[in-house]
Amino acid sequence: MPRINVFYYHPGFDPIAILRAAWSNLREGRVVSGASTLTQQLVRSAYPRPRTYLGKVCEIIRAIKAEWLLSKEQILEQYLNRIPMGNNLVGVRLAAQCYFGKSLVQLEDQEIAMLAALPKAPGRLNPYRQPQDRLLARRNWVLQRMNEMGDLSSLNLAQALEKPVAVRPIRFDTKAPHLVHAISKKRPESAGEQKIRTTLAMALQEKVESVLRSHQMDLMSHGATQAAAMVVSNRNMAVLAYVGSIEYSEKTLANNNGLTALRSPGSALKPFLYAMALDAGYSAATLLEDTRRHYRAPQGEYYPRNFDQREYGPITIRQALGNSLNLSAIRMIDLTGVKPFYSLLKSIHLLDHTDKGPEFFGLGLAIGNPEVTLENLVAAYAMLASGGKWRPLRFLREEPVDPGIEILQPETSFIITDILSDPGARSLTFGGIADLNFPYRIAFKTGTSTHYRDCWIIGYTPDYTVGVWAGNFDGSPMEELGGALGAGPLFSEIFQAIYPKKSQPEPFEPPSGVCQIAVCSHSGMLPTPYCPLQRKEWFPVESTPLRSCTFHTRDTLYHELNPTYAGWLYDRIARGQTTPYRLQGNPGLLLANEMEGPDPSSPAHPEVTSPNLPAPSSPAPIPAPSTPSGISSSPIRIGEASGISNSGSPSPGTVRILYPLEGDCFLLDHRRSEPQVIRLEARVDGSLETVTWFLDGMEYAQTGPPYRTPFELVRGEHILMAVVPGGSGDQIRFRVE
């Protein structure tokens, strides 16, 4: 019976062939013959298995199941699409295109026979291996079988046998290989051969590839081996350039796609945090406290630092975002909430963690502890450029333009854009970087992950959004290469290619719902006659500032701060730093109540061991200790202290204990003979001269600004209370072991 009939009649395996092969293998004492049917070979390609007898049994069972679920024609089609054809080619369609430059229907008889011959032994029968005697013999055998089965006439057989094995050199189109690979992965195998028209602008694509290659040596000198970049049209979200690595090869893992790899974005998420705050009623002029403080996080106690290890005190949201200050961002997410920010990031497809909720990331969401892709990050920034409407990226011209989903208010998107494109807003930290000083306004944000593993910059004009990443695909750190210095030069050159010579983008147009109002440059409030500097700030029309500046209420050389900043101000003066600030009602700054002795948070004075207190050089949260029985897991508030209001004005006469935190546990080191001391610290809102501290029901100390006092650790469980005149106070519990 002809072999083709066996395929159409067997149930997925050939029992006669199996018995024959088993007898041959037993007689020879080794595997000399196989008995796999075409269905079994299909199953083996889908479910690779070790060549054992148990594996063979599993293969037969799966082949029977395949025969039950699929028709013979479907099995044959799947087999022909998956069959190895040599030279890393899979499937007869691809083999026909690569070996002969033809579609399957264009093949001649001898070419069809060669493709049918190759699966027997793709390596030994390689058409590029000389001599071609084996392949020629196998091809001719297939032609003879075609004639015997009536599929080829004797005349055509004779003509086919006379022709040599003729294949063309394999040339793969290397244009935008990462995009080609990404599109092919998304298309079903049943789609067949089609001409696909992408949205790429090939001249720009080649220019971006050239930019990445030109910076390769400089990146490598700083420990970065790879980079990726993409350009998107904000008008219709068409991807115009898509470069996943500096080169597409196995060298330095360059086959990986840096545009779809999950990496930590660092500060690149901050614009969305502040956008959420603006949507919630804050303004670009709202004051935040850029000061060090301890936070309770699900993973433990969190003590963040700014990138440059400095504190900037009272800072507006414009300055905090423009200069990418971590302390301000953590304060912002602490005020607005982790869960709302987590929900926002999910809504714009930056987070897709089904097993990790907001509690997993905690306050670190503000400074980029989740992993995102550059593709999704570019789409999110394009949302800011498009008035707050998120739309998916378009890779193919045939894809319709999505109308989008409104995530942010147009007024919010414009104000965030204005901050990101304002050179003055970023002058504290980025003013001296030449590559980021553009002759026109570009809204951009940099990002650097922990230990310099990733550096990013994403930016946009009204027309285009550009994203750049640099780093190492294996996750190894770079040599202190941040987003501005690492990805910034590539970003700058790409925009020079988009806007060559003297051309420049159109300015960002404000929507009708915003207006500019003069504010004090230092406080962000409405200026008084004593404010030395003023500037214009954008506000939504319905929420303009109402409070006059509290920094400048009289003619003085200093900016007067309320007691909220007493600790920060004292530390600056104690370090000998000149400062234009003074405490309201206390221009000399009362220092008598400051603790005597070393600062327990300083690395030079490790007087106390606490599982809750991370080293100052490490901002990462650490596991929280378990709460002992009898101690509440939440603070007991005598008089609830308020946060910062949108007007920048604190509520008067309230106090909050900043340190220790509720539930802290401190461990005594008995190897030390000297006392082990921590510093009790409170924050006061309003004009208060003193805070009275009570420890375990007994008055412990009275302190004025900066409201700190030392405490020598004593074993046991303690109740700490801070009370201000009038009876308002705060209470926490901690223990010492």
Side-chain angles (χ1 to χ4, degrees):
M1 180 181 292
R3 192 169 182 79
I4 187 66
N5 290 340
V6 175
F7 167 70
Y8 278 102
Y9 290 101
H10 69 61
F13 67 101
D14 187 343
I16 297 176
I18 290 175
L19 291 174
R20 183 176 62 248
W23 170 248
S24 299
N25 295 338
L26 288 172
R27 184 179 58 198
E28 298 294 332
R30 59 189 178 90
V31 177
V32 296
S33 177
S36 295
T37 62
L38 186 149
T39 309
Q40 287 176 262
Q41 294 178 54
L42 171 61
V43 166
R44 190 185 307 144
S45 68
Y47 302 97
R49 62 166 180 82
R51 291 183 175 272
T52 62
Y53 288 109
L54 178 60
K56 194 73 173 179
V57 172
C58 293
E59 180 184 285
I60 290 173
I61 294 173
R62 284 177 172 148
I64 295 173
K65 185 177 180 180
E67 291 278 349
W68 181 51
L69 295 173
L70 304 174
S71 67
K72 290 290 186 178
E73 287 73 17
Q74 289 174 319
I75 291 174
L76 183 59
E77 179 184 356
Q78 289 294 321
Y79 172 78
L80 293 174
N81 285 334
R82 293 173 179 268
I83 190 170
M85 301 299 291
N87 296 293
N88 292 322
L89 302 176
V90 176
V92 293
R93 182 182 293 111
L94 180 60
Q97 188 65 45
C98 292
Y99 287 137
F100 306 115
K102 301 178 180 180
S103 65
L104 290 174
V105 296
Q106 296 173 319
L107 294 179
E108 299 178 13
D109 294 330
Q110 75 279 1
E111 293 169 339
I112 293 173
M114 194 202 86
L115 294 184
L118 281 175
K120 178 72 174 179
R124 288 202 315 269
L125 302 178
N126 188 338
Y128 298 107
R129 175 176 292 179
Q130 300 296 331
Q132 297 178 322
D133 297 347
R134 289 181 176 177
L135 176 60
L136 188 62
R138 180 69 181 174
R139 184 206 70 173
N140 291 346
W141 179 86
V142 172
L143 287 169
Q144 294 283 359
R145 292 288 293 159
M146 292 169 65
N147 174 254
E148 293 170 8
M149 299 178 66
D151 294 322
L152 185 65
S153 67
S154 298
L155 177 61
N156 290 339
L157 170 63
Q159 293 174 346
L161 290 173
E162 292 178 358
K163 294 183 179 179
V165 174
V167 292
R168 68 173 190 171
I170 295 182
R171 293 187 178 91
F172 293 105
D173 190 354
T174 57
K175 293 182 179 179
H178 286 102
L179 181 60
V180 171
H181 181 67
I183 292 175
S184 64
K185 285 178 63 178
K186 296 177 182 179
R187 295 185 66 78
E189 292 183 4
S190 59
E193 283 191 17
Q194 292 180 338
K195 180 176 287 188
I196 304 300
R197 300 182 67 197
T198 72
T199 58
L200 290 183
M202 286 311 302
L204 181 59
Q205 169 77 16
E206 292 169 357
K207 179 59 180 178
V208 174
E209 291 174 353
S210 175
V211 168
L212 266 60
R213 286 194 301 269
S214 68
H215 286 268
Q216 184 174 23
M217 296 306 296
D218 185 54
L219 289 172
M220 292 180 68
S221 69
H222 292 87
T225 58
Q226 279 300 338
M230 68 183 300
V231 181
V232 171
S233 168
N234 297 330
R235 181 176 59 84
N236 55 16
M237 295 303 289
V239 176
L240 305 179
Y242 190 95
V243 186
S245 65
I246 292 178
E247 55 186 347
Y248 189 77
S249 67
E250 295 182 3
K251 185 179 179 182
T252 61
L253 304 177
N255 286 349
N256 292 338
N257 188 347
L259 301 172
T260 58
L262 287 168
R263 314 288 298 205
S264 173
S267 297
L269 297 185
K270 289 176 182 174
F272 308 106
L273 170 65
Y274 289 108
M276 181 185 74
L278 264 57
D279 260 3
Y282 290 80
S283 77
T286 297
L287 278 183
L288 294 174
E289 300 169 34
D290 193 75
T291 58
R292 293 175 187 168
R293 61 183 300 178
H294 298 262
Y295 295 89
R296 170 67 71 215
Q299 295 86 352
E301 192 168 297
Y302 187 31
Y303 190 53
R305 297 289 182 94
N306 278 331
F307 187 79
D308 58 6
Q309 302 298 309
R310 298 175 62 186
E311 301 171 81
Y312 291 89
I315 205 92
T316 64
I317 281 181
R318 174 174 290 272
Q319 295 168 312
L321 174 56
N323 293 286
S324 194
L325 303 180
N326 291 340
L327 296 177
S328 301
I330 296 297
R331 180 63 176 149
M332 188 80 264
I333 194 173
D334 188 49
L335 291 171
T336 55
V338 173
K339 289 184 179 179
F341 188 43
Y342 177 88
S343 298
L344 173 62
L345 295 181
K346 287 201 71 173
S347 70
I348 56 178
H349 301 267
L350 284 176
L351 287 182
D352 188 23
H353 301 279
T354 57
D355 59 333
K356 298 175 182 177
E359 299 81 9
F360 177 85
F361 299 105
L363 299 174
L365 268 179
I367 54 177
N369 64 0
E371 293 183 325
V372 304
T373 69
L374 185 55
E375 266 190 16
N376 291 341
L377 205 53
V378 167
Y381 273 77
M383 173 191 70
L384 296 174
S386 304
K389 283 190 176 182
W390 183 89
R391 295 170 295 167
L393 298 173
R394 290 177 57 246
F395 296 96
L396 304 178
R397 296 187 187 183
E398 65 193 44
E399 293 175 335
V401 178
D402 195 297
I405 303 171
E406 184 170 312
I407 303 295
L408 300 172
Q409 298 175 16
E411 295 80 7
T412 293
S413 295
F414 171 77
I415 294 173
I416 293 296
T417 295
D418 187 71
I419 295 172
L420 295 179
S421 62
D422 180 7
R426 53 179 177 264
S427 59
L428 289 176
T429 53
F430 298 105
I433 301 176
D435 288 308
L436 300 183
N437 292 329
F438 296 95
Y440 41 80
R441 294 193 71 161
I442 294 178
F444 68 85
K445 184 71 188 71
T446 62
T448 307
S449 64
T450 305
H451 303 307
Y452 299 94
R453 298 183 186 277
D454 308 275
C455 59
W456 311 71
I457 183 168
I458 304 94
Y460 55 92
T461 64
D463 302 313
Y464 304 100
T465 299
V466 174
V468 179
W469 166 88
N472 297 302
F473 285 142
D474 62 3
S476 57
M478 298 170 286
E479 297 175 2
E480 298 189 0
L481 190 64
L485 296 177
L490 289 77
F491 177 84
S492 178
E493 280 198 37
I494 292 172
F495 265 110
Q496 290 174 32
I498 295 175
Y499 299 105
K501 298 180 180 179
K502 295 184 178 181
S503 63
Q504 59 181 15
E506 294 294 323
F508 295 104
E509 290 293 333
S512 59
V514 296
C515 61
Q516 275 190 309
I517 296 178
V519 297
C520 172
S521 297
H522 297 279
S523 69
M525 306 176 202
L526 294 176
T528 70
Y530 304 107
C531 292
L533 295 173
Q534 299 181 23
R535 60 179 174 83
K536 292 290 188 70
E537 183 58 271
W538 289 100
F539 293 89
V541 172
E542 69 276 5
S543 58
T544 56
L546 301 176
R547 185 174 177 83
S548 295
C549 178
T550 60
F551 284 24
H552 311 103
T553 57
R554 57 194 177 93
D555 192 6
T556 177
L557 296 175
Y558 301 107
H559 315 301
E560 296 186 342
L561 303 180
N562 65 50
T564 300
Y565 299 96
W568 169 78
L569 187 54
Y570 170 78
D571 288 338
R572 288 176 62 89
I573 295 175
R575 289 193 295 265
Q577 293 177 302
T578 58
T579 175
Y581 298 103
R582 287 295 184 269
L583 207 59
Q584 287 176 359
N586 193 359
L589 186 64
L590 183 62
L591 306 180
N593 289 301
E594 171 60 9
M595 64 175 291
E596 297 178 2
D599 179 355
S601 68
S602 170
H605 301 283
E607 282 78 11
V608 58
T609 302
S610 169
N612 289 330
L613 187 60
S617 60
S618 173
I622 60 176
S626 59
T627 303
S629 59
I631 294 184
S632 171
S633 60
S634 59
I636 301 172
R637 302 298 180 197
I638 297 175
E640 186 66 32
S642 69
I644 299 176
S645 68
N646 291 343
S647 64
S649 165
S651 301
T654 58
V655 61
R656 183 187 297 271
I657 296 175
L658 295 182
Y659 196 76
L661 299 181
E662 173 68 26
D664 273 355
C665 176
F666 299 93
L667 305 180
L668 290 171
D669 187 351
H670 297 288
R671 295 170 297 180
R672 298 189 178 204
S673 57
E674 68 273 14
Q676 298 175 52
V677 179
I678 65 171
R679 183 172 66 190
L680 310 182
E681 185 172 355
R683 163 188 160 173
V684 168
D685 294 332
S687 300
L688 298 173
E689 293 185 359
T690 61
V691 169
T692 303
W693 297 89
F694 291 87
L695 187 67
D696 300 328
M698 302 292 292
E699 183 173 334
Y700 178 75
Q702 282 193 349
T703 61
Y707 313 109
R708 301 169 177 168
T709 188
F711 170 64
E712 183 178 334
L713 292 180
V714 179
R715 185 187 300 275
E717 297 181 358
H718 302 285
I719 299 176
L720 179 66
M721 188 182 303
V723 180
V724 297
S728 177
D730 190 16
Q731 176 178 297
I732 61 103
R733 297 168 185 253
F734 68 97
R735 73 183 191 275
V736 181
E737 296 181 353

